[in-house]
Amino acid sequence: MKVITTPREMQALVITWKGEGLKVGLVPTMGWFHEGHLSLMRKAREVADRVVVSLFVNPMQFAPTEDLDNYPHDLERDRKLAEAEGVDVLYAPEPADMYPAEFKTSVHVSGLTTGLCGASRPGHFDGVTTVVAKLFNQTLPHIAVFGEKDFQQLAVIRQMVRDLDFPIEIIGHAIVREQSGLAMSSRNTYLKEDEMEAAHSLAKAIVQAQHLVGQNKNLSPDQIKEEVTGIILSYPQCTIDYVEILDRSSLQPCERISSESVLVLAVKINQRIRLIDNSTLVGN
Ligand code: AMP
């Protein structure tokens, strides 16, 4: 596995691959790999001839008050994990190469970015779409794999790809969870032992919501949201950023629960750690 750090070298290699008729897959990440990231790499390995995993902790998607400086980082650890998955290139560009002093462009997707995470993290999605557009141009992939864990992000990226005519197939990959149900996240490393139980409230609330819908499909979204909110707030360390039941494509609130409905959650643990999770409510 090669480690590449400059956009120019990355692009040159992909152009060579493409000249050989090889199919290229990209997995964009911010590193500190866990099984969720590794499953995305395996998916890319399955569908592409060459796999590039990008590792870039993107300053543009963090607000000044957020955890950019503390975000877990260990290139050597991640290099070994990616290599073991048969990744061809770990692409780890430097911030100065991604955003040189004269950088002036931002990619903005409207509508889908205003609610949910966009409401509590202003500017976050402009950072995401700008960096992903750059990564697409630097790695020129045929396919790119993203996790459904970042549900709104996936919808926003699909929209950007359609709107800007990127010739890239976007593949969404199911959430990988700990045995306990907790959705894997690099940010889980911030959780102290006594915060773990509170962190599990998200998955616990999802399971209860699915159970209730399984028993009675006529329950309203508000009734389910009330139940979910009650479970989460029964842990004093938890505050709710949002609990919503949305249509999976439009991200608009649903009037009735159906197979298109997704329960999306964002919860802060001790005001320090913001966790997100989501799930459909009706078995497919
Ligand atoms: P991150 O490094 O957190 O920016 O995530 C990189 C990619 O991995 C994104 O597409 C995430 O949605 C995806 N991802 C993160 N956690 C998980 C998980 N638990 N299961 C599946 N995909 C995930």
Side-chain angles (χ1 to χ4, degrees), residues 15-27:
I15 289 169
T16 314
W17 285 341
K18 287 186 144 180
E20 295 164 10
L22 297 168
K23 188 169 175 182
V24 179
L26 170 69
V27 181

Side-chain angles (χ1 to χ4, degrees), residues 112 151 155 159 162 246-252 260-262:
L112 292 177
F151 186 77
Q159 184 74 44
R162 276 196 302 276
L246 306 174
D247 174 82
R248 63 184 312 147
S249 334
S250 68
L251 304 192
Q252 290 303 305
E260 294 305 297
S261 312
V262 184

Side-chain angles (χ1 to χ4, degrees), residues 55-121:
L55 192 172
F56 182 63
V57 184
N58 175 31
M60 196 176 164
Q61 70 188 69
F62 287 79
T65 50
E66 292 182 338
D67 57 343
L68 175 64
D69 292 340
N70 299 325
Y71 202 82
H73 189 74
D74 183 342
L75 184 63
E76 186 48 24
R77 168 189 182 278
D78 285 349
R79 192 192 63 73
K80 286 186 190 140
L81 289 167
E83 187 160 42
E85 295 302 333
V87 167
D88 296 285
V89 171
L90 183 62
Y91 175 47
E94 294 295 329
D97 287 326
M98 291 298 263
Y99 301 117
E102 65 275 17
F103 189 82
K104 288 186 171 57
T105 301
S106 162
V107 178
H108 174 71
V109 173
S110 61
L112 292 177
T113 54
T114 50
L116 308 174
C117 294
S120 47
R121 304 184 68 188

Side-chain angles (χ1 to χ4, degrees), residues 28-31 34 36-37 39-40 71 145-150 153 173-176 183-184 186:
T29 81
M30 298 205 300
H34 50 67
H37 296 114
S39 72
L40 267 50
Y71 202 82
V145 188
F146 291 85
E148 287 172 359
K149 158 125 185 307
D150 297 270
Q153 169 175 284
H173 194 278
I175 298 178
V176 177
M184 291 194 182
S186 306

Side-chain angles (χ1 to χ4, degrees), residues 27-217:
V27 181
T29 81
M30 298 205 300
W32 198 254
F33 296 152
H34 50 67
E35 194 56 34
H37 296 114
L38 303 184
S39 72
L40 267 50
M41 295 177 204
R42 275 173 224 139
K43 181 68 198 176
R45 189 69 282 166
E46 240 174 78
V47 295
D49 301 308
R50 293 288 180 271
V51 175
V52 177
V53 173
S54 64
L55 192 172
F56 182 63
V57 184
N58 175 31
M60 196 176 164
Q61 70 188 69
F62 287 79
T65 50
E66 292 182 338
D67 57 343
L68 175 64
D69 292 340
N70 299 325
Y71 202 82
H73 189 74
D74 183 342
L75 184 63
E76 186 48 24
R77 168 189 182 278
D78 285 349
R79 192 192 63 73
K80 286 186 190 140
L81 289 167
E83 187 160 42
E85 295 302 333
V87 167
D88 296 285
V89 171
L90 183 62
Y91 175 47
E94 294 295 329
D97 287 326
M98 291 298 263
Y99 301 117
E102 65 275 17
F103 189 82
K104 288 186 171 57
T105 301
S106 162
V107 178
H108 174 71
V109 173
S110 61
L112 292 177
T113 54
T114 50
L116 308 174
C117 294
S120 47
R121 304 184 68 188
H124 168 70
F125 285 114
D126 288 358
V128 170
T129 41
T130 302
V131 83
V132 171
K134 283 174 70 70
L135 290 168
F136 284 171
N137 284 330
Q138 292 163 357
T139 64
L140 304 168
H142 296 91
I143 63 125
V145 188
F146 291 85
E148 287 172 359
K149 158 125 185 307
D150 297 270
F151 186 77
Q152 187 178 15
Q153 169 175 284
L154 180 55
V156 168
I157 285 166
R158 287 190 195 282
Q159 184 74 44
M160 176 185 79
V161 163
R162 276 196 302 276
D163 290 350
L164 298 184
D165 307 299
F166 280 106
I168 300 172
E169 181 192 350
I170 302 300
I171 299 180
H173 194 278
I175 298 178
V176 177
R177 297 177 181 281
E178 304 284 357
Q179 262 190 345
S180 62
L182 177 66
M184 291 194 182
S185 166
S186 306
R187 290 191 166 96
N188 291 351
T189 54
Y190 302 150
L191 290 165
K192 297 181 184 150
E193 217 170 297
D194 61 340
E195 292 170 326
M196 274 295 174
E197 214 177 317
H200 286 119
S201 65
L202 286 83
K204 198 172 155 189
I206 286 174
V207 170
Q208 176 64 1
Q210 288 168 329
H211 174 71
L212 291 174
V213 172
Q215 284 185 326
N216 180 359
K217 290 211 171 36

